[in-house]
Amino acid sequence: MSRQSRTSPAASEQSLHQAYDTALLDLDGVVYAGGEAIAYAVESLAAARADGMHLAYVTNNALRTPDAVAEHLGELGIPTVAAEVITSAQAVARLIAEQVEPGSKVLVIGGDGLRVALRERGLVPVESAEEEGLAAVVQGYGGPDLPWGRFAEASYAINRGVPWFASNTDLTIPGARGIAPGNGAAVEVVRIATGAEPQVAGKPLPPMHRETVLRTGAERPLVVGDRLDTDIEGAFNGEVDSLLVLTGVTDAEQLLRAEPRHRPTYVDRDLRGLLTGQPEVEPCAEGFRCGGWTAVATNGGVLELREAGEGGEAGEGGEVGQGGQGGEVGDPLDALRALCAAAWTVAGDGVCTLDAAKALARLGL
């Protein structure tokens, strides 16, 4: 992949699990949500691994340790060892260790994932801003029960000039009951109280990509995620290919309006997309065609869907079919892929402003 602006989802004749040697999988919103496996995740990952694809789980969630994540995945039916889990806690611990003396004290605002990662780098996690010789403050997701007073503790130290680090700045996190505030929201609280800016390690920034490469040794990696501003942008920054799955925080409308660094190589409903090829999106006289659908950017500022080769709007008088993962007439994923090509081409290096509401309403995605 190059950093040139993408104007269409890519095609792949090979199944993705055969075209790439390693899947770098986000967890929340991709493999599980609220602790429960997302539909089709377990069997899709098992099939990909059985065919020789290496699996690595790359998460911005710094709350839990790799051992705890691996145990949880095992309970869900996804056999995993701790070495296959890479967290933003590990990335930020390495970042801190490169800037402070060995054995330095670091104030932890977050969970055990941060504490274990700091110890792995020879640093000493502490709980109070009053610790003598405090070298850094690190902030990571602490779960919904993290006391408000922890943000005050961070602020006391930062306001005295102690360097501030954050595992990640995801504003939200998907859960079983919906979308909840993420570590980025907590970072904003401390930023308001201090006026300071943290050094951030997690996706989409280089420290997380470096940590992942060092720990996996992947040669042809495919980033698999649900977030445009972390997973997909991280792949863009690392110049590797990406698969967006629609099981987490990104919806079809956000995808159409994606700026160049947020446009995935491929898009699919869920992790079954790893086991298939990806259909070609072709330019045609009317617009862009994929499967049984053509997407058209009209002069009236509207994105329309039409049946391929015909002038009428697709699905007139009926619903879009629920076909397979790609290539079948009526498959809403093919319609979305065609719409992406139309929207991204019009947008170029910017953001698409065409009205796609009517077209998207028919897809049921």
Side-chain angles (χ1 to χ4, degrees), residues 42-70:
V42 174
E43 51 267 51
S44 298
L45 293 174
R49 187 190 290 273
D51 269 0
M53 188 179 215
H54 300 297
L55 305 179
Y57 301 95
V58 185
T59 177
N60 264 359
N61 190 332
L63 178 61
R64 294 188 294 172
T65 67
D67 283 316
V69 173

Side-chain angles (χ1 to χ4, degrees), residues 55-121:
L55 305 179
Y57 301 95
V58 185
T59 177
N60 264 359
N61 190 332
L63 178 61
R64 294 188 294 172
T65 67
D67 283 316
V69 173
E71 181 179 359
H72 179 208
L73 288 171
E75 291 169 352
L76 296 178
I78 305 169
T80 308
V81 297
E84 294 171 325
V85 179
I86 300 95
T87 73
S88 62
Q90 293 171 318
V92 77
R94 187 187 296 271
L95 187 63
I96 296 169
E98 291 172 344
Q99 299 182 41
V100 303
E101 294 296 324
S104 292
K105 296 177 183 178
V106 180
L107 174 61
V108 175
I109 311 299
D112 284 342
L114 284 174
R115 296 179 181 89
V116 169
L118 289 170
R119 293 189 186 105
E120 184 183 57
R121 292 287 155 212

Side-chain angles (χ1 to χ4, degrees), residues 221-294:
L222 177 69
V223 170
V224 184
D226 70 308
R227 301 186 70 106
L228 301 180
D229 60 349
T230 54
D231 305 313
I232 306 308
E233 185 177 341
F236 177 85
N237 289 340
E239 300 189 25
V240 298
D241 288 345
S242 61
L243 167 65
L244 178 79
V245 291
L246 300 176
T247 48
V249 302
T250 300
D251 61 25
E253 181 178 3
Q254 292 169 326
L255 180 60
L256 295 186
R257 302 192 187 286
E259 58 186 288
R261 59 183 176 165
H262 293 165
R263 297 172 188 168
T265 314
Y266 313 107
V267 58
D268 224 308
R269 287 184 185 82
D270 49 56
L271 287 177
R272 288 177 293 176
L274 280 176
L275 307 178
T276 68
Q278 295 287 310
E280 186 172 3
V281 182
E282 302 175 291
C284 60
E286 300 92 344
F288 292 88
R289 178 182 302 146
C290 186
W293 300 98
T294 297

Side-chain angles (χ1 to χ4, degrees), residues 166-219:
S167 63
N168 67 297
T169 53
D170 299 34
L171 290 173
T172 61
I173 186 169
R177 297 173 58 193
I179 303 299
N183 190 55
V187 167
E188 284 300 312
V189 171
V190 177
R191 180 185 281 120
I192 291 168
T194 64
E197 291 291 333
Q199 294 187 52
V200 183
K203 298 180 285 188
L205 298 174
M208 189 67 172
H209 181 70
R210 178 181 58 159
E211 193 72 23
T212 301
V213 170
L214 288 172
R215 290 181 180 268
T216 65
E219 296 181 358

Side-chain angles (χ1 to χ4, degrees), residues 100 105-107 126 128-138 153-165 190 194 196-199:
V100 303
K105 296 177 183 178
V106 180
L107 174 61
V126 299
S128 173
E130 305 308 314
E131 286 278 351
E132 186 176 349
L134 191 63
V137 177
V138 64
E153 203 69 26
S155 300
Y156 301 148
I158 295 165
N159 280 329
R160 293 202 303 265
V162 178
W164 179 27
F165 296 81
V190 177
T194 64
E197 291 291 333
Q199 294 187 52

